[in-house]
Amino acid sequence: MIAANYNPKESEEKWYKYWTDHHLFHSEVDNSREPYCIVIPPPNVTGVLHMGHMLNNTIQDALVRRARLQGKNACWVPGTDHASIATEAKVVAKLQSEGIRKTDLTRDEFLKHAWDWTHTHGGIILKQLKRLGASCDWERTAFTMDDKRSESVLKVFVDLFNKGLIYRGVRMVNWDPQALTALSDEEVVYKEEHSKLYYLRYRIEGEDGYAIVATTRPETIMGDSAMCINPQDPKNQHLRGKKVIVPLVNRVIPVIEDEYVDIEFGTGCLKVTPAHDVNDYMLGEKYNLPAIDIFNDNGTISEAAGLYVGMDRFDVRKQIELDLQAAGLLEKVEPYTNNVGFSERTNVPIEPKLSMQWFLKMEHLAKIALTPVMEDDIHFFPPKFKNTYRHWMENIKDWCISRQLWWGHRIPAWYLPEGGYVVADNESEALQLARKKSGKNDLQLSDLRQDEDCLDTWFSSWLWPISLFDGINHPDNPEISYYYPTNDLVTGPDIIFFWVARMIMAGYEYQGKMPFKNVYFTGIVRDKLGRKMSKSLGNSPDPLDLIDKYGADGVRVGMLLCAPAGGDLLFDESLPEQGRNFTTKMWNAFKLVKSWDVADIEQPEHSRLALNWFNNLLNKVTKTLNVQFDQYRISEALMTVYTTFRDEFSSWLLEMIKPAYGQPIDRQSYEQTVNIFEQLLQLLHPFMPFITEDIWQSLRTRKDGESIMISIMPQPAEYDENLLTRFEAVKNVIVGIRNVRKQDNVPFKNALELKVKFNNRYPATFASVICKMGNISTIENVTEAVKGARSFISDTVEYFIPASSQVDTEEMRAKLEEDLKYTQGFLASVMKKLSNEKFVNGAPAQVVANEHKKQVDAETKIAAIKAQLKEL
């Protein structure tokens, strides 16, 4: 028995279990088959599913399922990221709630808590992806801190160090005062802020006058080492060679000259604070200025400042304004809008800070990764992101790879008792290197001290496509040789630098080739008002609630219907509702087909013609779909098959072949219809895996282990475009007949006569289809207009249906005049194009020919309408 209504929850549970029980997602090396591989962008191990994940993974699943249907050996590798900053912050917060401070614990004690947290909360998001229908090879699930991945990360660090690409030094870094760690430039998000510009008075030593300095950060004056002016600035020539006194601090500092100073900004006088500004640091290096670090790691003022010690930096900003004012050292304060850097993870303003860190030189890596993208060896979809990529690569800075955290891959560097350090894969190798470096063979491991810092999370993620197949530890193993390079990467443009670019670098450095062939950039999921979805705005629905309400297939369709590559998705709940309604349409079509009795009787002519039309249409649709997938126009591909099923299959084909009430369908038509239904299900399966499996399993008798997912889609054959065009004319005639029935309230059971004022555009071959769909008893050719009949024009052919009641000539006249006005307007627009020499001479010949055909058709129709009006 077929259920009256489709039950998504029941279907999803049943078929996901079936797929996993039969290991249908699993892939092994098979050199007789073409591989297709995607690696999942690893979500945070303790994360939960959000709308961005839904979009990204729906697209990945569609690509993987389509590859299986093409007979490829598809492998979608899942996994999670250890997310150093985010996870450590959660563990610290959890410990604080229990009255435990991180500083009270040893590293090993803290890591035990972190692993416990990860085991408790980790992997939830992967379970949630199963609800979506994600067909990942779960047997391959990886974690960036599992043994293989950790070994790979440490090997790469050692290798790059030995190549001279990793170094340690004091540099200006982005410091996160909340996470207490350095950040890379890519982990800083700049936001526009409405702040203040403070004009401070620096007294000129030995004189009564002042030099005025404009700054947005008066709290940093305790770190001032100099004042700088532009030697070309006429208004500050009097300061050349002088010294000034830092307000409140009373430190005497020199006035230096450098063309770096912007003459137009403020007064043209710049306070130089080498320890707390990137550009000031460069000036400090150039002029050998002392760097006074006035901040503690947590953003409070240090002892070195001498003033406001222990106060928070922003509290000092408020207090120092009052103190400067009271001392007569504040000239004025103005409103000012500037860009302030925030930590991407903790959302607190970063602090430029001089710090001893580990860095990776990027020049060589950027060079080997730029050309493949710019020359389209690696394709970006949409290609506009190539320019973004190029700009970053050509302006790249060394990557700060150390983090002052405990959760992560600990830097494999060991410090010797008498200074210096060694870098090694493990403790045993480190001890050997330390003995060799120091010349002391009695040196013990206990004499060495391993670096406390861990590596940036992205330092493990950039190896993901290689390390998933153990290609760092065993570079030529069968799996890396078979699955690498992977085929497609689906990700967001916001991590093009964090991850995409660095994976390309690692791919060429460690495998000598690209990590993936294509990169599909998704857009940002926004609400219908265009706002980015977020918890704080309360505009982000819970994806699992949506699945419960609309079914996984409904949600997938809703997400993809409006998801252009690289374009933002405006999400509204009407979209998954539309998806759910479509599943109902599919189920109703399935019930209709399975309700027919099948008999060994002759196939009607109208069924033969209709099925021939649809098979041609299906070949065209399949070819169109192939092109759309090749160009990563995923949303358009869904719309193509969606409208084909909804409009052409359900609304036209099934109605054309449907037997009369109580009558059987011929076996030939039934089998052809089932074949067509199966092919449509295969085209829909990448987007809607559950309902397509459910219907496919019931259309015919299947064996255990069979699945639509691993059935092979037939290749599209050639199709007759002329036939498809003529059949559109047939459909238009049927619509015209239906309109006449509607006007006269003639029920379908009452047969009608059809008179045709014949010309060669009349689709006479398909008369049986017109008779079936319009319930026409006879079709007769006439040479003149039929008086007193309802009429309509389709494709320049005039059709007449004798009226079942008195025809309202005024009503008919009004309709004809409306049609005439529209057709005349259409003709005018065509003539405007054809009178444009630039269009006629520049457009392809076929395009111009199509416009001439439109002209002839419109003129013919106008003449026919005028003739009918004359008859009235």
Side-chain angles (χ1 to χ4, degrees), residues 221-237:
I221 60 173
M222 292 85 78
D224 288 359
S225 295
M227 176 184 285
C228 192
I229 60 172
N230 191 313
Q232 308 301 323
D233 186 357
K235 64 182 180 292
N236 285 318
Q237 292 297 308

Side-chain angles (χ1 to χ4, degrees), residues 37 47 87 99 126 138 149 167 181 227 296 320 344 353 426 457 495 508 620 628 708 735 796 841 844 863:
C37 185
T87 304
L126 299 184
W138 300 111
R149 263 49 65 179
Y167 64 94
T181 183
M227 176 184 285
N296 295 315
I320 208 168
E344 189 221 14
K353 181 179 173 67
N426 52 56
T457 300
I495 55 173
Y508 282 98
K620 180 179 182 179
Q628 290 167 333
I708 187 173
V735 170
T796 76
N841 296 328

Side-chain angles (χ1 to χ4, degrees), residues 7 91 415:
N7 185 327
V91 176
Y415 297 98

Side-chain angles (χ1 to χ4, degrees), residues 282-309:
M282 289 160 55
L283 284 172
E285 291 278 286
K286 186 174 180 180
Y287 295 100
N288 198 28
L289 300 173
I292 307 166
D293 187 350
I294 67 163
F295 289 122
N296 295 315
D297 288 350
N298 62 0
T300 57
I301 305 300
S302 71
E303 294 283 349
L307 299 171
Y308 310 106
V309 176

Side-chain angles (χ1 to χ4, degrees), residues 139-151:
E139 296 169 51
R140 291 180 176 273
T141 302
F143 178 46
T144 50
M145 275 179 63
D146 64 25
D147 290 345
K148 278 186 183 177
R149 263 49 65 179
S150 294
E151 186 182 348

Side-chain angles (χ1 to χ4, degrees), residues 788 790 806-816 872:
R790 292 282 186 187
Q806 186 66 35
V807 174
D808 184 338
T809 54
E810 287 308 312
E811 180 190 336
M812 186 176 285
R813 184 189 302 279
K815 184 178 182 305
L816 286 169
L872 288 175

Side-chain angles (χ1 to χ4, degrees), residues 296-535:
N296 295 315
D297 288 350
N298 62 0
T300 57
I301 305 300
S302 71
E303 294 283 349
L307 299 171
Y308 310 106
V309 176
M311 288 180 65
D312 181 78
R313 53 188 170 150
F314 296 115
D315 292 336
V316 174
R317 185 178 298 179
K318 294 173 187 174
Q319 184 61 45
I320 208 168
E321 180 180 357
L322 298 174
D323 294 346
L324 288 164
Q325 187 77 52
L329 297 173
L330 185 62
E331 180 81 8
K332 61 180 178 177
V333 179
E334 293 177 345
Y336 188 68
T337 301
N338 61 334
N339 284 324
V340 177
F342 283 75
S343 167
E344 189 221 14
R345 289 294 182 193
T346 62
N347 199 34
V348 300
I350 60 103
E351 195 59 61
K353 181 179 173 67
L354 282 174
S355 180
M356 177 67 78
Q357 302 288 342
W358 291 88
F359 295 87
L360 174 59
K361 294 178 183 178
M362 298 298 276
E363 186 180 358
H364 156 70
L365 295 167
K367 187 176 180 181
I368 62 175
L370 177 58
T371 304
V373 171
M374 300 317 295
E375 294 185 354
D376 289 328
D377 294 332
I378 299 172
H379 294 275
F380 279 10
F381 296 92
K384 67 180 181 181
F385 289 110
K386 285 170 63 177
N387 288 330
T388 309
Y389 181 87
R390 188 194 74 243
H391 178 76
W392 186 70
M393 286 296 202
E394 290 177 348
N395 295 277
I396 202 162
K397 296 178 183 177
D398 287 356
W399 176 10
C400 176
I401 56 174
S402 49
R403 297 292 180 270
Q404 287 62 57
L405 301 167
W406 282 349
W407 176 246
H409 299 101
R410 192 172 181 179
I411 290 175
W414 283 262
Y415 297 98
L416 279 62
E418 296 175 3
Y421 60 86
V422 294
V423 170
D425 284 333
N426 52 56
E427 292 177 341
S428 175
E429 284 184 24
L431 183 58
Q432 289 178 29
L433 289 172
R435 286 173 175 171
K436 184 176 179 182
K437 186 168 186 174
S438 66
K440 296 180 178 180
N441 289 329
D442 60 345
L443 208 62
Q444 299 300 310
L445 190 61
S446 57
D447 297 322
L448 306 182
R449 178 179 60 85
Q450 188 175 354
D451 197 301
E452 290 290 320
D453 292 351
C454 74
L455 288 161
D456 180 5
T457 300
W458 298 103
F459 196 84
S460 53
S461 304
W462 79 320
L463 305 175
W464 194 241
I466 305 173
S467 63
L468 285 175
F469 301 108
D470 208 17
I472 298 294
N473 301 321
H474 302 96
D476 299 314
N477 75 74
E479 291 216 327
I480 195 77
S481 301
Y482 181 70
Y483 290 113
Y484 188 96
T486 66
N487 294 74
D488 298 319
L489 176 74
V490 181
T491 188
D494 53 326
I495 55 173
I496 189 171
F497 311 131
F498 285 126
W499 195 44
V500 178
R502 290 168 178 166
M503 282 192 288
I504 295 172
M505 294 174 184
Y508 282 98
E509 182 70 13
Y510 287 102
Q511 282 291 316
K513 50 191 169 184
M514 65 189 76
F516 28 71
K517 297 163 190 168
N518 306 290
V519 183
Y520 177 100
F521 291 106
T522 64
I524 296 170
V525 183
R526 300 183 182 274
D527 65 16
K528 59 184 177 183
L529 300 178
R531 301 175 303 174
K532 187 174 180 179
M533 288 190 166
S534 67
K535 288 181 182 177

